[in-house]
Structures are given as structure tokens and as C-alpha cells.
Amino acid sequence: MERTLRLLGPFRQVLPLSRVPLRGAWRDEQLELIQEGGLLMKGERLEAVGPFDKLYRTYRSDQLEVVRLDEPLVALPGLIDAHTHLCFAGSRARDFAARNNGKSYLEIAAAGGGIWSTVQHTRNASQAQLEALLLPRLETLLASGITTVEVKSGYGLRVDEECKMLRAIQSVGQAQPCDVLATCLAAHMVPRDFDGTESMYLDHLLEALVPLVRKESLAQRFDIFIEKSAFSPAAATAYLRALKERGFDLCVHGDQFTVGGSAVAIACGARSVDHLEVSGEKEIEALAQSTVVPVALPGASIGLGCAFTPARRLLDRGASLAIASDWNPGSAPQGQLLAQAAILSCYEKLSAAEVWAGLTCRAAAALGRNDRGRLSEGLLADIVAFPTADYREILYHQGSMQAARVWKRGREVNFSS
Ligand code: NIG
Ligand code: FE
């Protein structure tokens, strides 16, 4: 007889996060905790979540397969990294050293470093080589409990090269279990070999790249870097509006070194605005009044030695807050999302409830994916389990407690293969 239902457990604690609101402060006392919990799965979805014994009694039948867990485990929704630049070739160790020897971002770029140096390495790599670099990075994320990851292009900066990156992202996305959402970041900077203004470059993307992205379904989301060294708010607004009209999802790199990007994100109806290290009262208030999800990128603050996103003030004003790694070779080479989120929580005084929401359901909202990010009936059975009996131990260890087991769409991920 075919067994259609699988019951996992008992977990010492299950944190379903099913009642966490999508915005605002949330204290640990408000966190829903199921002691000796169980997760009932049907195919790739969750069928029920509750106390293990109760689920066992309710669903006990020939059709129930029980996966009994003898070790102490705490279960959470699979983590979501909503902002990465994982697809790249080369290293920027020289930039890192130069920064820490007193050189500025602009001096480093002028001396041949910065985004443009990664563009050279990435253009020199074949699609197959990019895939070979990307696959182990994704496997590392999945082993750490990240079951959905956003990956940007943006180191091609030419129609054919951006397509190469997006094809590599798509192909690796399909070759392993972690769900990969591709974002086109051809508007990362005006490439040095483009002969024209920023608006001419963006118009060129709309004309020559966007139809190809649509035709091959290479990405549903577009991003732009709004900054002095990249694109102005005015040029970005025209580009984002044109993309919105064409039905694409939008996100923005904004307010990283100078303000301006968050206002554009709000005006253009972006799903998220990411960075926000220099956002002030005005920007925070505007974000709190909007539906745009602010995304903190503590890995970039750590990598550059800059201020953290004002996460506490955003939440206290009533905004949402997702937390992502920004894993990239320049500003955020570390790529350890859990460690970064734990460190952010110390500096910004975030509760564990706010951190876990930022890594799960609120990150899902930043990506427009409401089929995941909580352990609730009907949602994807994406689950991470940590080897402890007390959820507080996980962030306390600041990333050094590794995920013990991971299930993606109902299937356990086997790390040894
Ligand atoms: O999110 N801010 C712009 N883009 C990346 C950095 C990319 C790079 O330096 O290669 C970021 O920090
Ligand atoms: Fe980024």
C-alpha cells in the first residue's frame, strides 16, 4: 500500500512562525513554540503541524510513515537568503586588503578593483565554468539550512554576458534541490566599455536584454544599484517603471552609501529595498508607511566595516525586515547568513523572533513567495533542524552551531552525496 503521509518527529521544539506578522516588532514571548512537536508531510507540502503524539494518534494508519527522530532537534522553516551575488568568478582579496590599508572604494575601483574587476573575471569564464563555481556555493547554503536562495546576475554587464550568467544560474538551480530565484542585475553599474550615458545604457537593456530574458524565462525580477558610483534616482526610476509595465518584479540596492534608493523603490512599487545602511528618519518613516520590504545585509556591513542597517528603528516604526547575506566577492565574501544575522541581532538588539522572521517568512515576502517561510499547513515542507533542545542556543552560537538535518520540499537532503 502506498504511504502518502510522513510524520517527522518528535522535535524537542518546533518554531512554526505561522503567526508572526509580516511587519513590526515581535518579542520572543510572542513566539509560538511546540514542545515535542511533529511535522506531517504529504509530498512536498506540510499537511499538519502540532504535538507529535497528537498527530500520531490522529493520522495513525497504514498510510502513515513515521520518521522517528531520536536526537534532540529544534525545527524551523527552511531559511531563505533573499539577496546574493553567488554567481561570479575570481576573488577580490586585493580589494579587501587595500581597504584595510586605508584605500577608499573609489581609489580601489580606479586602480582596477571593484565590481568592474569581477566583471572581467566573470566574462572570462565560460557558462560551464560559472556553473562549476556556483554549484558548491549552493550546496554549502543548502547544508546550512537555506532552502531558497535568490541569485543575481550583474557581473556580465553586456547582453550576451548577462544572459550567460542567468543561464548558468538557471541551470544550476535545476541541478540541485535548493530553489534558486534568478534576478537580473544588468544595472549594477554602467560598464566601462559602454559608450554612452547611464540612461542610454538602461534604454539599451530595455531594448536588447529584457526581451531575451522574457523569451528564455531567465528571470522574473530586476534589480538596480542606485548610488553615486552606479545609477541616479532619476534614471533608475524610468528604468524600473518600464520594467514594471512589462510585468517584472522589482528590487533595489538603495541607501548603501548615500540616500535616494529607498524613495525610488517605494515610488516604483518594488518588493524590497536592500542595504539601507545610511537610511535616516525620513527614509525609515517612508518605508514604514510603504509595502516595500527592507532587507538588511549585515555581511556587507561587516565586509566593508560600515554601519548596520537601522533594523531596530525600522521594526519599531512598523516596517518589515528581512535579513540576507549579500554574498558577493567584493563587499560580502563571507557568505555565512546565520552568523551575520546573529551579529546583527547583537548590535541592533533584535529578538530571536525578529531574526527568524527575517530569515524565513519576511524574506519570503521580499521575494514574493508566500508558499514558504512558515511551517504551516499547505506550505512547502522546507525544514531545517538544529542539534539542540532549546531554540535560543542557535543564535547564541552565532553561526557556529551547524544545521543537523534539512528537508527540501519534503525530501531529506543527503549531504554526503
Ligand atoms: O550589494 N552594492 C552593490 N553591489 C554589491 C557589491 C558587489 C560587488 O562589490 O561586487 C553589494 O554590496
Ligand atoms: Fe548586493
PDB file of all heavy atoms in Angstrom, residues 104-135:
ATOM      1  N   SER A 104      40.243  54.073  -0.332  1.00  0.00           N
ATOM      2  CA  SER A 104      38.793  54.241  -0.398  1.00  0.00           C
ATOM      3  C   SER A 104      38.233  53.369  -1.527  1.00  0.00           C
ATOM      4  O   SER A 104      38.965  52.907  -2.408  1.00  0.00           O
ATOM      5  CB  SER A 104      38.444  55.705  -0.682  1.00  0.00           C
ATOM      6  OG  SER A 104      38.734  56.000  -2.034  1.00  0.00           O
ATOM      7  N   TYR A 105      36.906  53.219  -1.482  1.00  0.00           N
ATOM      8  CA  TYR A 105      36.204  52.431  -2.506  1.00  0.00           C
ATOM      9  C   TYR A 105      36.531  52.955  -3.903  1.00  0.00           C
ATOM     10  O   TYR A 105      36.826  52.185  -4.822  1.00  0.00           O
ATOM     11  CB  TYR A 105      34.706  52.536  -2.218  1.00  0.00           C
ATOM     12  CG  TYR A 105      33.821  51.678  -3.086  1.00  0.00           C
ATOM     13  CD1 TYR A 105      33.600  50.338  -2.795  1.00  0.00           C
ATOM     14  CD2 TYR A 105      33.193  52.216  -4.209  1.00  0.00           C
ATOM     15  CE1 TYR A 105      32.784  49.559  -3.592  1.00  0.00           C
ATOM     16  CE2 TYR A 105      32.373  51.445  -5.015  1.00  0.00           C
ATOM     17  CZ  TYR A 105      32.168  50.110  -4.696  1.00  0.00           C
ATOM     18  OH  TYR A 105      31.364  49.343  -5.499  1.00  0.00           O
ATOM     19  N   LEU A 106      36.523  54.288  -4.057  1.00  0.00           N
ATOM     20  CA  LEU A 106      36.768  54.885  -5.375  1.00  0.00           C
ATOM     21  C   LEU A 106      38.223  54.718  -5.811  1.00  0.00           C
ATOM     22  O   LEU A 106      38.493  54.443  -6.985  1.00  0.00           O
ATOM     23  CB  LEU A 106      36.394  56.374  -5.368  1.00  0.00           C
ATOM     24  CG  LEU A 106      34.895  56.648  -5.356  1.00  0.00           C
ATOM     25  CD1 LEU A 106      34.620  58.150  -5.339  1.00  0.00           C
ATOM     26  CD2 LEU A 106      34.196  56.002  -6.558  1.00  0.00           C
ATOM     27  N   GLU A 107      39.133  54.827  -4.866  1.00  0.00           N
ATOM     28  CA  GLU A 107      40.553  54.616  -5.208  1.00  0.00           C
ATOM     29  C   GLU A 107      40.776  53.174  -5.676  1.00  0.00           C
ATOM     30  O   GLU A 107      41.509  52.925  -6.632  1.00  0.00           O
ATOM     31  CB  GLU A 107      41.435  54.901  -3.979  1.00  0.00           C
ATOM     32  CG  GLU A 107      41.610  56.380  -3.684  1.00  0.00           C
ATOM     33  CD  GLU A 107      42.262  56.628  -2.319  1.00  0.00           C
ATOM     34  OE1 GLU A 107      42.105  55.797  -1.396  1.00  0.00           O
ATOM     35  OE2 GLU A 107      42.918  57.647  -2.196  1.00  0.00           O
ATOM     36  N   ILE A 108      40.124  52.259  -4.986  1.00  0.00           N
ATOM     37  CA  ILE A 108      40.279  50.836  -5.341  1.00  0.00           C
ATOM     38  C   ILE A 108      39.704  50.575  -6.738  1.00  0.00           C
ATOM     39  O   ILE A 108      40.326  49.898  -7.565  1.00  0.00           O
ATOM     40  CB  ILE A 108      39.596  49.945  -4.279  1.00  0.00           C
ATOM     41  CG1 ILE A 108      40.367  50.042  -2.966  1.00  0.00           C
ATOM     42  CG2 ILE A 108      39.491  48.499  -4.751  1.00  0.00           C
ATOM     43  CD1 ILE A 108      39.635  49.483  -1.757  1.00  0.00           C
ATOM     44  N   ALA A 109      38.539  51.167  -6.997  1.00  0.00           N
ATOM     45  CA  ALA A 109      37.918  50.992  -8.320  1.00  0.00           C
ATOM     46  C   ALA A 109      38.822  51.600  -9.398  1.00  0.00           C
ATOM     47  O   ALA A 109      39.032  50.992 -10.465  1.00  0.00           O
ATOM     48  CB  ALA A 109      36.535  51.639  -8.334  1.00  0.00           C
ATOM     49  N   ALA A 110      39.366  52.777  -9.126  1.00  0.00           N
ATOM     50  CA  ALA A 110      40.218  53.450 -10.120  1.00  0.00           C
ATOM     51  C   ALA A 110      41.482  52.643 -10.388  1.00  0.00           C
ATOM     52  O   ALA A 110      42.031  52.670 -11.491  1.00  0.00           O
ATOM     53  CB  ALA A 110      40.576  54.852  -9.626  1.00  0.00           C
ATOM     54  N   ALA A 111      41.928  51.890  -9.386  1.00  0.00           N
ATOM     55  CA  ALA A 111      43.152  51.088  -9.545  1.00  0.00           C
ATOM     56  C   ALA A 111      42.850  49.709 -10.145  1.00  0.00           C
ATOM     57  O   ALA A 111      43.703  48.817 -10.119  1.00  0.00           O
ATOM     58  CB  ALA A 111      43.841  50.946  -8.195  1.00  0.00           C
ATOM     59  N   GLY A 112      41.652  49.529 -10.661  1.00  0.00           N
ATOM     60  CA  GLY A 112      41.332  48.270 -11.344  1.00  0.00           C
ATOM     61  C   GLY A 112      40.602  47.251 -10.480  1.00  0.00           C
ATOM     62  O   GLY A 112      40.367  46.124 -10.903  1.00  0.00           O
ATOM     63  N   GLY A 113      40.199  47.639  -9.261  1.00  0.00           N
ATOM     64  CA  GLY A 113      39.431  46.720  -8.417  1.00  0.00           C
ATOM     65  C   GLY A 113      37.944  46.986  -8.558  1.00  0.00           C
ATOM     66  O   GLY A 113      37.481  47.476  -9.577  1.00  0.00           O
ATOM     67  N   GLY A 114      37.173  46.642  -7.505  1.00  0.00           N
ATOM     68  CA  GLY A 114      35.732  46.916  -7.508  1.00  0.00           C
ATOM     69  C   GLY A 114      34.940  45.976  -8.407  1.00  0.00           C
ATOM     70  O   GLY A 114      35.461  44.957  -8.892  1.00  0.00           O
ATOM     71  N   ILE A 115      33.682  46.331  -8.622  1.00  0.00           N
ATOM     72  CA  ILE A 115      32.767  45.493  -9.399  1.00  0.00           C
ATOM     73  C   ILE A 115      33.362  45.173 -10.772  1.00  0.00           C
ATOM     74  O   ILE A 115      33.286  44.047 -11.266  1.00  0.00           O
ATOM     75  CB  ILE A 115      31.394  46.197  -9.550  1.00  0.00           C
ATOM     76  CG1 ILE A 115      30.701  46.317  -8.185  1.00  0.00           C
ATOM     77  CG2 ILE A 115      30.501  45.466 -10.547  1.00  0.00           C
ATOM     78  CD1 ILE A 115      29.450  47.189  -8.191  1.00  0.00           C
ATOM     79  N   TRP A 116      34.005  46.186 -11.375  1.00  0.00           N
ATOM     80  CA  TRP A 116      34.492  46.001 -12.747  1.00  0.00           C
ATOM     81  C   TRP A 116      35.546  44.895 -12.821  1.00  0.00           C
ATOM     82  O   TRP A 116      35.639  44.189 -13.832  1.00  0.00           O
ATOM     83  CB  TRP A 116      35.036  47.336 -13.286  1.00  0.00           C
ATOM     84  CG  TRP A 116      35.384  47.296 -14.735  1.00  0.00           C
ATOM     85  CD1 TRP A 116      36.612  47.470 -15.297  1.00  0.00           C
ATOM     86  CD2 TRP A 116      34.480  47.057 -15.835  1.00  0.00           C
ATOM     87  NE1 TRP A 116      36.548  47.360 -16.666  1.00  0.00           N
ATOM     88  CE2 TRP A 116      35.247  47.101 -17.016  1.00  0.00           C
ATOM     89  CE3 TRP A 116      33.104  46.799 -15.923  1.00  0.00           C
ATOM     90  CZ2 TRP A 116      34.676  46.907 -18.283  1.00  0.00           C
ATOM     91  CZ3 TRP A 116      32.541  46.592 -17.184  1.00  0.00           C
ATOM     92  CH2 TRP A 116      33.323  46.657 -18.335  1.00  0.00           C
ATOM     93  N   SER A 117      36.313  44.693 -11.784  1.00  0.00           N
ATOM     94  CA  SER A 117      37.318  43.618 -11.845  1.00  0.00           C
ATOM     95  C   SER A 117      36.624  42.250 -11.818  1.00  0.00           C
ATOM     96  O   SER A 117      37.046  41.317 -12.501  1.00  0.00           O
ATOM     97  CB  SER A 117      38.361  43.762 -10.739  1.00  0.00           C
ATOM     98  OG  SER A 117      37.939  43.140  -9.560  1.00  0.00           O
ATOM     99  N   THR A 118      35.537  42.134 -11.042  1.00  0.00           N
ATOM    100  CA  THR A 118      34.795  40.855 -11.067  1.00  0.00           C
ATOM    101  C   THR A 118      34.131  40.650 -12.425  1.00  0.00           C
ATOM    102  O   THR A 118      33.992  39.518 -12.896  1.00  0.00           O
ATOM    103  CB  THR A 118      33.752  40.819  -9.919  1.00  0.00           C
ATOM    104  OG1 THR A 118      34.441  40.969  -8.681  1.00  0.00           O
ATOM    105  CG2 THR A 118      32.985  39.510  -9.902  1.00  0.00           C
ATOM    106  N   VAL A 119      33.728  41.747 -13.067  1.00  0.00           N
ATOM    107  CA  VAL A 119      33.139  41.624 -14.414  1.00  0.00           C
ATOM    108  C   VAL A 119      34.177  40.999 -15.361  1.00  0.00           C
ATOM    109  O   VAL A 119      33.846  40.099 -16.146  1.00  0.00           O
ATOM    110  CB  VAL A 119      32.663  43.002 -14.932  1.00  0.00           C
ATOM    111  CG1 VAL A 119      32.261  42.931 -16.400  1.00  0.00           C
ATOM    112  CG2 VAL A 119      31.503  43.517 -14.085  1.00  0.00           C
ATOM    113  N   GLN A 120      35.424  41.432 -15.267  1.00  0.00           N
ATOM    114  CA  GLN A 120      36.458  40.868 -16.160  1.00  0.00           C
ATOM    115  C   GLN A 120      36.590  39.361 -15.931  1.00  0.00           C
ATOM    116  O   GLN A 120      36.598  38.573 -16.877  1.00  0.00           O
ATOM    117  CB  GLN A 120      37.831  41.508 -15.917  1.00  0.00           C
ATOM    118  CG  GLN A 120      37.860  43.020 -16.019  1.00  0.00           C
ATOM    119  CD  GLN A 120      37.165  43.518 -17.260  1.00  0.00           C
ATOM    120  OE1 GLN A 120      37.495  43.133 -18.378  1.00  0.00           O
ATOM    121  NE2 GLN A 120      36.165  44.340 -17.067  1.00  0.00           N
ATOM    122  N   HIS A 121      36.686  38.959 -14.676  1.00  0.00           N
ATOM    123  CA  HIS A 121      36.843  37.527 -14.370  1.00  0.00           C
ATOM    124  C   HIS A 121      35.618  36.726 -14.812  1.00  0.00           C
ATOM    125  O   HIS A 121      35.739  35.613 -15.314  1.00  0.00           O
ATOM    126  CB  HIS A 121      37.057  37.326 -12.864  1.00  0.00           C
ATOM    127  CG  HIS A 121      38.434  37.676 -12.421  1.00  0.00           C
ATOM    128  ND1 HIS A 121      38.732  38.810 -11.693  1.00  0.00           N
ATOM    129  CD2 HIS A 121      39.615  37.044 -12.610  1.00  0.00           C
ATOM    130  CE1 HIS A 121      40.031  38.862 -11.461  1.00  0.00           C
ATOM    131  NE2 HIS A 121      40.594  37.802 -11.997  1.00  0.00           N
ATOM    132  N   THR A 122      34.441  37.323 -14.616  1.00  0.00           N
ATOM    133  CA  THR A 122      33.214  36.582 -14.930  1.00  0.00           C
ATOM    134  C   THR A 122      33.028  36.475 -16.446  1.00  0.00           C
ATOM    135  O   THR A 122      32.609  35.434 -16.956  1.00  0.00           O
ATOM    136  CB  THR A 122      32.010  37.259 -14.230  1.00  0.00           C
ATOM    137  OG1 THR A 122      32.302  37.362 -12.839  1.00  0.00           O
ATOM    138  CG2 THR A 122      30.729  36.473 -14.421  1.00  0.00           C
ATOM    139  N   ARG A 123      33.374  37.540 -17.151  1.00  0.00           N
ATOM    140  CA  ARG A 123      33.289  37.451 -18.619  1.00  0.00           C
ATOM    141  C   ARG A 123      34.273  36.426 -19.165  1.00  0.00           C
ATOM    142  O   ARG A 123      33.989  35.756 -20.151  1.00  0.00           O
ATOM    143  CB  ARG A 123      33.589  38.820 -19.238  1.00  0.00           C
ATOM    144  CG  ARG A 123      32.444  39.809 -19.116  1.00  0.00           C
ATOM    145  CD  ARG A 123      32.798  41.087 -19.855  1.00  0.00           C
ATOM    146  NE  ARG A 123      31.748  42.096 -19.739  1.00  0.00           N
ATOM    147  CZ  ARG A 123      31.856  43.320 -20.247  1.00  0.00           C
ATOM    148  NH1 ARG A 123      32.960  43.686 -20.893  1.00  0.00           N
ATOM    149  NH2 ARG A 123      30.870  44.191 -20.113  1.00  0.00           N
ATOM    150  N   ASN A 124      35.415  36.289 -18.510  1.00  0.00           N
ATOM    151  CA  ASN A 124      36.427  35.336 -18.995  1.00  0.00           C
ATOM    152  C   ASN A 124      36.061  33.885 -18.696  1.00  0.00           C
ATOM    153  O   ASN A 124      36.715  32.973 -19.209  1.00  0.00           O
ATOM    154  CB  ASN A 124      37.799  35.652 -18.377  1.00  0.00           C
ATOM    155  CG  ASN A 124      38.416  36.866 -19.042  1.00  0.00           C
ATOM    156  OD1 ASN A 124      38.092  37.179 -20.183  1.00  0.00           O
ATOM    157  ND2 ASN A 124      39.283  37.567 -18.326  1.00  0.00           N
ATOM    158  N   ALA A 125      35.076  33.677 -17.838  1.00  0.00           N
ATOM    159  CA  ALA A 125      34.664  32.302 -17.509  1.00  0.00           C
ATOM    160  C   ALA A 125      33.566  31.858 -18.480  1.00  0.00           C
ATOM    161  O   ALA A 125      32.710  32.660 -18.869  1.00  0.00           O
ATOM    162  CB  ALA A 125      34.147  32.251 -16.076  1.00  0.00           C
ATOM    163  N   SER A 126      33.586  30.590 -18.841  1.00  0.00           N
ATOM    164  CA  SER A 126      32.508  30.050 -19.682  1.00  0.00           C
ATOM    165  C   SER A 126      31.279  29.795 -18.807  1.00  0.00           C
ATOM    166  O   SER A 126      31.392  29.771 -17.560  1.00  0.00           O
ATOM    167  CB  SER A 126      32.950  28.740 -20.324  1.00  0.00           C
ATOM    168  OG  SER A 126      33.139  27.773 -19.307  1.00  0.00           O
ATOM    169  N   GLN A 127      30.147  29.548 -19.447  1.00  0.00           N
ATOM    170  CA  GLN A 127      28.950  29.226 -18.672  1.00  0.00           C
ATOM    171  C   GLN A 127      29.210  27.982 -17.806  1.00  0.00           C
ATOM    172  O   GLN A 127      28.832  27.936 -16.632  1.00  0.00           O
ATOM    173  CB  GLN A 127      27.748  29.002 -19.594  1.00  0.00           C
ATOM    174  CG  GLN A 127      26.469  28.759 -18.800  1.00  0.00           C
ATOM    175  CD  GLN A 127      25.253  28.443 -19.661  1.00  0.00           C
ATOM    176  OE1 GLN A 127      25.109  29.009 -20.750  1.00  0.00           O
ATOM    177  NE2 GLN A 127      24.407  27.560 -19.196  1.00  0.00           N
ATOM    178  N   ALA A 128      29.876  26.988 -18.402  1.00  0.00           N
ATOM    179  CA  ALA A 128      30.153  25.752 -17.645  1.00  0.00           C
ATOM    180  C   ALA A 128      31.055  26.044 -16.445  1.00  0.00           C
ATOM    181  O   ALA A 128      30.874  25.477 -15.365  1.00  0.00           O
ATOM    182  CB  ALA A 128      30.801  24.711 -18.565  1.00  0.00           C
ATOM    183  N   GLN A 129      32.025  26.922 -16.632  1.00  0.00           N
ATOM    184  CA  GLN A 129      32.910  27.262 -15.509  1.00  0.00           C
ATOM    185  C   GLN A 129      32.149  28.002 -14.408  1.00  0.00           C
ATOM    186  O   GLN A 129      32.346  27.753 -13.220  1.00  0.00           O
ATOM    187  CB  GLN A 129      34.092  28.106 -15.997  1.00  0.00           C
ATOM    188  CG  GLN A 129      35.116  27.277 -16.756  1.00  0.00           C
ATOM    189  CD  GLN A 129      36.149  28.143 -17.475  1.00  0.00           C
ATOM    190  OE1 GLN A 129      35.856  29.250 -17.940  1.00  0.00           O
ATOM    191  NE2 GLN A 129      37.362  27.626 -17.574  1.00  0.00           N
ATOM    192  N   LEU A 130      31.248  28.898 -14.804  1.00  0.00           N
ATOM    193  CA  LEU A 130      30.433  29.597 -13.801  1.00  0.00           C
ATOM    194  C   LEU A 130      29.564  28.605 -13.034  1.00  0.00           C
ATOM    195  O   LEU A 130      29.414  28.702 -11.813  1.00  0.00           O
ATOM    196  CB  LEU A 130      29.533  30.645 -14.465  1.00  0.00           C
ATOM    197  CG  LEU A 130      30.193  31.931 -14.948  1.00  0.00           C
ATOM    198  CD1 LEU A 130      29.141  32.874 -15.520  1.00  0.00           C
ATOM    199  CD2 LEU A 130      30.949  32.620 -13.815  1.00  0.00           C
ATOM    200  N   GLU A 131      29.009  27.643 -13.760  1.00  0.00           N
ATOM    201  CA  GLU A 131      28.165  26.632 -13.097  1.00  0.00           C
ATOM    202  C   GLU A 131      28.988  25.831 -12.094  1.00  0.00           C
ATOM    203  O   GLU A 131      28.527  25.538 -10.982  1.00  0.00           O
ATOM    204  CB  GLU A 131      27.544  25.704 -14.137  1.00  0.00           C
ATOM    205  CG  GLU A 131      26.462  26.404 -14.953  1.00  0.00           C
ATOM    206  CD  GLU A 131      25.940  25.552 -16.103  1.00  0.00           C
ATOM    207  OE1 GLU A 131      26.139  24.331 -16.100  1.00  0.00           O
ATOM    208  OE2 GLU A 131      25.322  26.143 -17.017  1.00  0.00           O
ATOM    209  N   ALA A 132      30.223  25.502 -12.489  1.00  0.00           N
ATOM    210  CA  ALA A 132      31.078  24.700 -11.600  1.00  0.00           C
ATOM    211  C   ALA A 132      31.449  25.496 -10.341  1.00  0.00           C
ATOM    212  O   ALA A 132      31.690  24.917  -9.280  1.00  0.00           O
ATOM    213  CB  ALA A 132      32.339  24.264 -12.342  1.00  0.00           C
ATOM    214  N   LEU A 133      31.506  26.809 -10.448  1.00  0.00           N
ATOM    215  CA  LEU A 133      31.791  27.637  -9.271  1.00  0.00           C
ATOM    216  C   LEU A 133      30.545  27.813  -8.405  1.00  0.00           C
ATOM    217  O   LEU A 133      30.617  27.856  -7.178  1.00  0.00           O
ATOM    218  CB  LEU A 133      32.289  29.025  -9.722  1.00  0.00           C
ATOM    219  CG  LEU A 133      33.689  29.059 -10.334  1.00  0.00           C
ATOM    220  CD1 LEU A 133      33.923  30.372 -11.079  1.00  0.00           C
ATOM    221  CD2 LEU A 133      34.740  28.875  -9.240  1.00  0.00           C
ATOM    222  N   LEU A 134      29.403  27.923  -9.069  1.00  0.00           N
ATOM    223  CA  LEU A 134      28.151  28.212  -8.363  1.00  0.00           C
ATOM    224  C   LEU A 134      27.625  27.004  -7.579  1.00  0.00           C
ATOM    225  O   LEU A 134      27.136  27.150  -6.449  1.00  0.00           O
ATOM    226  CB  LEU A 134      27.111  28.700  -9.393  1.00  0.00           C
ATOM    227  CG  LEU A 134      25.723  29.062  -8.917  1.00  0.00           C
ATOM    228  CD1 LEU A 134      25.757  30.073  -7.789  1.00  0.00           C
ATOM    229  CD2 LEU A 134      24.903  29.612 -10.091  1.00  0.00           C
ATOM    230  N   LEU A 135      27.747  25.818  -8.181  1.00  0.00           N
ATOM    231  CA  LEU A 135      27.136  24.626  -7.571  1.00  0.00           C
ATOM    232  C   LEU A 135      27.619  24.384  -6.127  1.00  0.00           C
ATOM    233  O   LEU A 135      26.786  24.245  -5.223  1.00  0.00           O
ATOM    234  CB  LEU A 135      27.380  23.401  -8.465  1.00  0.00           C
ATOM    235  CG  LEU A 135      26.774  22.095  -7.962  1.00  0.00           C
ATOM    236  CD1 LEU A 135      25.251  22.191  -7.861  1.00  0.00           C
ATOM    237  CD2 LEU A 135      27.160  20.926  -8.870  1.00  0.00           C
TER     238      LEU A 135
END
